[in-house]
Amino acid sequence: MIVDERMPTDRRHAVIVCHPDPSSFNHAIAHTYRDAVRATGQGVVLRDLYAIGFDPVLTAAERPTDRIATYRQDVLDEIAAIEGCDVFVLIYPIWFGTPPAMLKGYVERVFGAGVHPDALQGRARTSLLGGRRLLSFSTSAASKIWLDEQGQGIGLNSVFDQYIVHAFGMRSQEHRRFAHIVPGLSPHLARGYLEEVSAQARRTCAQVAFGDEALLSDPGLIAQMAR
């Protein structure tokens, strides 16, 4: 890879994958994204929520109230691991119309740590997520047509993606959805999906390296990330 002097290489991506099977396609997405980012010279922090046994249950002591909240060590460890990242990547299956409970708990306990409801409503930038980018990859066993008929794409974007961006003062969000992820997924389809993941990773790396405006005026900057 040729590193352009304009291209900062100290950018980091927090990749948060939530699936109980380490051989799942969700994990393949996470590893593909990680490898593509590292190939550009940028860094990756990979958090596998099931592997670390993350507890999604928010306790009374952790609720954002007028008094000082008390956080368990696992929350403090997660914040330490992902703070300072430029991109937050969520990778998960759609179960019964929503992300897994463990991921929702991660949003509540880690992303929401110390964030008062007034700050959420005011779209104040939080120290952890403020001004950062949100990128999501979700999978479903159902077809895209069926999901669209249920309003899945619009609903998930509204109640999860956009809420997170607005509540924590993030910069932007993108979401890539992969359908028909079932046992026996054809290698050809899997390769095509993972090529999309790699391409998205390079594009996101170019966004954080050069900025959105520079990328819009010169899409060829993305090609530099693949060298």
Side-chain angles (χ1 to χ4, degrees), residues 23 28 33 54 62 77 92 113 123 171 175 177 194 213-214:
S23 64
Y33 186 91
F54 181 76
E62 293 174 333
D77 290 343
Y92 59 88
R123 299 188 179 185
R171 179 190 182 109
H175 196 138
R177 297 178 174 86
L194 294 178
E213 291 186 4

Side-chain angles (χ1 to χ4, degrees), residues 108-200:
E108 293 176 0
R109 297 190 63 220
V110 179
F111 287 1
V115 182
H116 195 275
D118 289 344
L120 295 180
Q121 296 175 50
R123 299 188 179 185
R125 290 190 172 189
T126 67
S127 59
L128 182 64
L129 300 176
R132 272 64 170 188
R133 299 173 187 272
L134 176 67
L135 173 61
S136 301
F137 295 96
S138 63
T139 63
S140 174
S143 69
K144 185 178 185 301
I145 292 176
W146 187 87
L147 290 173
D148 288 344
E149 288 175 347
Q150 316 313 310
Q152 177 67 65
I154 295 174
L156 193 59
N157 181 69
S158 176
V159 302
F160 201 62
D161 299 347
Q162 288 294 337
Y163 185 90
I164 290 174
V165 168
H166 293 160
F168 301 114
M170 300 188 78
R171 179 190 182 109
S172 61
Q173 67 90 14
E174 292 184 75
H175 196 138
R176 304 297 296 268
R177 297 178 174 86
F178 299 127
H180 290 298
I181 305 302
V182 295
L185 176 67
S186 76
H188 175 74
L189 187 59
R191 282 195 302 272
Y193 281 159
L194 294 178
E195 286 172 2
E196 291 183 39
V197 172
S198 293
Q200 178 64 60

